[in-house]
Amino acid sequence: MHPSVPADRTSRSSSPKLEADTDNAGSIDTVLANNEKIMVDETNDGDDDASKMKEAVPCKNTPDHGDDFKEERYAWLIVIGAFFVQVTSFGVVTSWGVMQDYFHEHRLGLPPPSETTFQMENEQLLNLSFVGTIALICTNICGPLAQILTSIWGHRMVLIIGTFCVTIGLICAGFATEIWHLYLTQGIVFGLGACLNYCTIMGVAPLWFNKRRGLALGVVTSGSGIGGLIIPFIMTSINESPSLGPEWTYRILGFICLALDLVAVVFVRPRVPTPRQRKKLGDIIKLNVLKDMNFLLFLIGSSTALMGYFLPYFFLPAYATSIGLSPKQGGALVAVSSAMNFLGRILAGICADRIGKLNTNILFTTASGLSTFLIWTFAKTYGVLMAYSAVFGLFCGSYFALLSPITAQILGNEKFPTGLSVMLLSNVVSVFGPNIASAIQNAVNTEPFLTYKLFAGAAFLVGAFILTVLKIKLDRNILAKV
């Protein structure tokens, strides 16, 4: 839905002609602050917090600082490039459960079976889960670095560096013989490259749209779902090939990521190029946004829910094999969940434009928690697990689709870049969810994987409750579009 514009602000200069060269492209912060005025949908006029959210002051002396520009066809090429980046970043990360199950079954880092205890196997599973965790940490914590590099070299050069790191990290992971080798390669090197690519495209893509921004971001973020759909089948097929194995799984995957990320390198560029202006860390990370209680509630609620997000993706394959299913069936569960994630993120974008961004996020987060509690907890057959994968996948990805628009809605244009950086940094806490659940599972005497199920469901529902508190604080009308 196109936000309303006051009559005294309807007169604006037209957008400048798009330039193919990105040498003069500035940092993500500069583009966001100087070229877009993000305004929120209608909220309760009588509520003070909602009234504050409506205020957005346009920057002067810029070529185009409004939302009333005409959307160009080229914008959808930006979406394609950004979509492929999502495939090669979060699509690969969410598929880690397939490789984790393979390495667990083939006893990577364990002594011979005669010398292995049950406790040692649990510790190995915990250690393997840190590979995905480290990759997620690097993907989120290196956001400020991506913005600083963008302010120095421009978007295209940062995308080239990120593509190089993603490719090299995966190829080198194919030579791993110990778990800590995977920490360095798929964890740090790949995670750094994924972050550079992800932060760059998410700082550019939203600014090409106004009326269809929610839909565009839904399509972009659905790339991780498509990646999670296709990549597990690639991994499983190559892993089980007698002539190939996991070494070639990583090498082939590395070259696939190279080809896809090069599309982003070619097409992704800012809508309105601005002069480069080197940024310092203090210019990007301004923790004063945490004084905004609405933003703080959104951060806490989102981080809490996100702690449960990766648990099914990391542990569903291992749970499937533990109840007698094949590795292919375990990989299919992740693939189906990712396919539904693809559809769910687009659906979240569409619903956000119709019923409100925060409302959509609350509904989807609640559904994710309920499906985990009511389906996965009692799933003992392939059919029930497949049903859970489909339902969970459809609803669990709303946070990623709506992170940018909700942050902009709460903070406004001026503080949006800082707020987005703080949100990405807060995700570092959330990615420890699988490790916390693993530690609890090892410490208690209960049925295998029960802790993972309960932890994931509780995280989503507690997060949804906090987001509901935020909604009521913004507008006491329960049916209001927020």
Side-chain angles (χ1 to χ4, degrees):
M1 178 178 177
H2 188 13
S4 60
V5 183
D8 59 348
R9 296 184 184 178
T10 55
S11 177
R12 307 192 186 277
S13 57
S14 59
S15 301
K17 183 179 180 181
L18 297 176
E19 301 178 10
D21 180 38
T22 60
D23 287 343
N24 292 324
S27 67
I28 296 174
D29 285 36
T30 305
V31 174
L32 284 167
N34 291 346
N35 299 307
E36 288 295 303
K37 177 168 70 71
I38 303 174
M39 299 182 66
V40 302
D41 296 318
E42 293 83 6
T43 55
N44 190 338
D45 290 337
D47 188 273
D48 291 339
D49 293 319
S51 298
K52 292 179 182 178
M53 289 170 54
K54 287 185 177 181
E55 298 177 1
V57 181
C59 299
K60 297 181 180 181
N61 301 323
T62 56
D64 186 352
H65 50 257
D67 268 352
D68 54 350
F69 59 88
K70 181 181 179 180
E71 294 179 353
E72 304 286 342
R73 291 184 179 180
Y74 187 86
W76 292 104
L77 292 179
I78 303 291
V79 169
I80 292 173
F83 175 89
F84 284 152
V85 166
Q86 288 277 352
V87 171
T88 62
S89 54
F90 286 104
V92 173
V93 172
T94 55
S95 303
W96 163 244
V98 176
M99 297 305 298
Q100 176 176 280
D101 183 46
Y102 178 87
F103 289 131
H104 180 60
E105 291 293 318
H106 289 77
R107 311 177 59 80
L108 178 66
L110 284 177
S114 59
E115 303 175 10
T116 303
T117 64
F118 180 73
Q119 182 66 25
M120 293 172 66
E121 291 183 351
N122 282 340
E123 290 178 356
Q124 183 228 22
L125 190 59
L126 173 61
N127 293 334
L128 283 171
S129 71
F130 270 103
V131 177
T133 299
I134 292 173
L136 287 169
I137 290 174
C138 291
T139 301
N140 288 285
I141 204 171
C142 295
L145 173 63
Q147 296 186 43
I148 292 172
L149 294 179
T150 301
S151 71
I152 299 173
W153 294 323
H155 297 81
R156 180 161 295 169
M157 180 56 66
V158 175
L159 285 172
I160 291 173
I161 296 172
T163 299
F164 176 80
C165 290
V166 166
T167 304
I168 294 299
L170 291 175
I171 291 176
C172 290
F175 296 97
T177 56
E178 298 289 342
I179 295 177
W180 68 269
H181 296 167
L182 294 172
Y183 292 166
L184 297 177
T185 53
Q186 187 172 0
I188 296 176
V189 178
F190 167 82
L192 172 62
C195 180
L196 294 179
N197 289 344
Y198 171 75
C199 290
T200 302
I201 60 103
M202 290 306 292
V204 172
L207 306 186
W208 284 83
F209 294 89
N210 45 32
K211 294 182 179 180
R212 293 175 290 181
R213 181 175 290 150
L215 174 60
L217 287 177
V219 173
V220 169
T221 57
S222 68
S224 64
I226 290 296
L229 168 64
I230 299 173
I231 292 173
F233 289 117
I234 296 175
M235 288 177 167
T236 302
S237 299
I238 302 176
N239 284 343
E240 296 183 352
S241 173
S243 59
L244 297 176
E247 299 85 0
W248 279 101
T249 298
Y250 278 116
R251 293 165 193 165
I252 293 173
L253 189 59
F255 284 109
I256 292 174
C257 290
L258 173 63
L260 296 180
D261 284 340
L262 284 177
V263 176
V265 171
V266 172
F267 290 122
V268 174
R269 57 184 173 86
R271 185 176 66 87
V272 182
T274 56
R276 294 177 189 169
Q277 183 179 0
R278 182 167 184 167
K279 294 290 184 179
K280 298 179 180 179
L281 185 61
D283 299 326
I284 298 172
I285 304 299
K286 298 178 181 178
L287 298 181
N288 61 346
V289 295
L290 296 177
K291 296 179 181 179
D292 187 316
M293 185 55 64
N294 295 331
F295 177 73
L296 186 60
L297 284 172
F298 177 58
L299 183 149
I300 295 173
S302 299
S303 298
T304 302
L306 197 59
M307 293 187 77
Y309 176 83
F310 291 101
L311 279 161
Y313 288 104
F314 282 12
F315 294 106
L316 264 180
Y319 177 71
T321 55
S322 73
I323 62 175
L325 302 179
S326 68
K328 284 188 176 181
Q329 289 175 313
L333 294 174
V334 176
V336 168
S337 183
S338 297
M340 297 305 293
N341 200 316
F342 161 74
L343 297 176
R345 295 191 186 195
I346 296 178
L347 179 62
I350 296 173
C351 291
D353 290 336
R354 293 178 178 272
I355 66 173
K357 305 171 185 65
L358 188 57
N359 293 339
T360 300
N361 199 22
I362 292 171
L363 291 175
F364 278 52
T365 303
T366 301
S368 300
L370 290 177
S371 65
T372 301
F373 267 137
L374 301 179
I375 304 179
W376 190 17
T377 302
F378 306 102
K380 302 295 182 182
T381 64
Y382 183 58
V384 178
L385 276 177
M386 186 61 73
Y388 167 70
S389 298
V391 175
F392 177 79
L394 181 65
F395 293 108
C396 68
S398 63
Y399 167 78
F400 299 98
L402 302 177
L403 167 61
S404 293
I406 292 179
T407 302
Q409 175 178 334
I410 293 175
L411 294 178
N413 177 61
E414 183 179 355
K415 294 183 179 180
F416 169 63
T418 296
L420 186 59
S421 296
V422 172
M423 287 298 298
L424 292 176
L425 287 176
S426 71
N427 290 350
V428 173
V429 177
S430 304
V431 300
F432 283 100
N435 310 113
I436 295 172
S438 293
I440 297 174
Q441 179 71 42
N442 292 340
V444 299
N445 184 18
T446 184
E447 80 173 72
F449 296 93
L450 178 62
T451 301
Y452 302 123
K453 304 171 185 177
L454 299 180
F455 187 94
F460 274 108
L461 292 182
V462 172
F465 174 77
I466 297 173
L467 293 175
T468 302
V469 172
L470 170 61
K471 171 186 166 52
I472 295 174
K473 188 173 183 298
L474 294 175
D475 196 319
R476 297 184 183 277
N477 181 2
I478 196 65
L479 299 178
K481 180 179 180 181
V482 179

